[in-house]
Amino acid sequence: MTGNVTRKPNGKVAIVTGAAQGIGAAIATRLAHDGFDVVIADLKSADAKATAVAKTCEAAGARAAVIPVDVRSEEDVGALVAATVEQLGRVDVMVANAGIGPPVDFLETTTRTMNDLWEINIRGVMYCYQAAARQMIKQGDGGRLIAASSIAGLTGFPQLGMYSASKFAVRGLNQCAAAELGKYGITCNTYNPGVVQTDMWTGLDKFYSGRAGAPDGSALAAQAAANPMRRNTDAAEVANSVSFLAGPNSAYVSGASLCISGGQQMH
Ligand code: NAD
């Protein structure tokens, strides 16, 4: 995936939330190869997996730190940014990647599910953007705020009502941040993956395949067959696009939402 990227340290530090596995782990690893020092930020319960990701980043030549965070907590996110500055010196990129996506019927969606999705997928992004932006403004030389939306943040999908709403909201929040923070040299962008084969989609596949009375894997296969490119994607391919949003070639890109979906969602 990133083996051919020759690392040149860039003196910059990136925080990636939800980085113990899946898309976040791939982003952290990719940014380490790009030249960033990285913080693997995830729930305390994911510490072992986060440490393994940090080792991979260190093997690429980066400095890496594992800093536990629950993005639902403003205090935790503030402490994450403070600990990053303490351990690695600064914050140049915040990738607010942590998210959940439990499938549930519209009419069965409980207040608990609504709150979970809101707290992690939206409030978590807001806390990450705020805390990182404050630090970037203090540093005085700009920065990159990047958040996980989804193709479900552009079109509603069945059984993903509150998830979709949360991912639409991520784009709204991101656009407002771009409008307000541009004057500080801070760019704000979202990445909108299509069907990425991580634990999240393993769960969705089980749910949709089960509903159809079909074997596991059927829903994923159906998604691939319906995609204009006739395939799904993996976390590394999403990380390639985030690498662009974090890197020097996107310096004047802000308020954008980049779909990585093989054309499943055109935007
Ligand atoms: P995943 O379930 O594999 O990983 C999510 C990570 O987030 C886990 O490591 C988990 O511990 C962490 N996390 C969950 N709650 C947290 C919290 N409160 N605080 C800190 N960390 C927390 O998911 P993924 O597929 O890698 O998805 C990553 C992001 O990409 C999510 O925001 C998701 O909505 C989005 N996304 C995924 C897909 C896909 O097809 N997999 C598609 C579109 C968007």
Side-chain angles (χ1 to χ4, degrees):
M1 155 201 109
T2 49
N4 294 330
V5 179
T6 307
R7 184 176 196 276
K8 290 197 194 86
N10 62 14
K12 293 179 191 284
V13 177
I15 298 173
V16 186
T17 69
Q21 65 175 52
I23 293 170
I27 292 170
T29 307
R30 173 59 205 246
L31 295 183
H33 279 272
D34 285 352
F36 291 91
D37 291 328
V38 286
V39 172
I40 320 300
D42 208 304
L43 294 169
K44 181 85 193 135
S45 56
D47 239 21
K49 283 192 279 184
T51 301
V53 176
K55 288 214 166 87
T56 309
C57 294
E58 283 166 355
R63 290 189 299 159
V66 174
I67 303 177
V69 70
D70 184 335
V71 298
R72 289 174 295 189
S73 157
E74 183 175 18
E75 201 184 340
D76 261 29
V77 175
L80 164 68
V81 168
T84 300
V85 173
E86 199 181 301
Q87 293 180 40
L88 297 177
R90 50 188 290 118
V91 177
D92 299 281
V93 177
M94 168 63 83
V95 186
N97 168 78
I100 58 166
V104 56
D105 288 319
F106 195 85
L107 297 178
E108 306 304 323
T109 306
T110 61
T111 304
R112 169 83 195 269
T113 303
M114 293 181 211
N115 286 345
D116 286 348
L117 279 156
W118 186 257
E119 287 176 11
I120 297 174
N121 291 10
I122 305 294
R123 244 172 53 191
V125 171
M126 185 64 171
Y127 291 151
C128 287
Y129 269 34
Q130 286 179 318
R134 288 184 187 120
Q135 176 59 29
M136 289 165 182
I137 291 166
K138 215 186 287 176
Q139 291 167 187
D141 53 0
R144 303 293 170 89
L145 302 178
I146 303 169
S149 179
S150 168
I151 54 169
L154 290 143
T155 302
F157 286 85
Q159 283 82 41
L160 290 175
M162 275 303 287
Y163 177 78
S164 253
S166 74
K167 294 302 186 182
F168 269 74
V170 167
R171 291 193 309 108
L173 205 59
N174 180 73
Q175 289 183 6
C176 295
E180 288 194 36
L181 301 177
K183 61 176 180 268
Y184 301 109
I186 297 172
T187 65
C188 308
N189 295 291
T190 75
Y191 52 101
N192 306 262
V195 177
V196 191
Q197 295 193 223
T198 64
D199 280 5
M200 184 175 284
W201 244 101
T202 303
L204 291 170
D205 174 70
K206 259 192 188 318
F207 176 88
Y208 290 123
S209 300
R211 278 261 167 118
D216 287 356
S218 305
L220 272 167
Q223 288 287 336
N227 188 285
M229 295 188 72
R230 304 289 183 268
R231 67 177 177 86
N232 298 322
T233 187
D234 61 18
E237 215 161 30
V238 177
N240 290 341
S241 291
V242 176
S243 163
F244 165 70
L245 294 175
N249 294 325
S250 63
Y252 200 56
V253 178
S254 195
S257 280
L258 180 57
C259 284
I260 308 121
S261 70
Q264 182 178 351
Q265 176 63 250
M266 300 193 191
H267 171 68

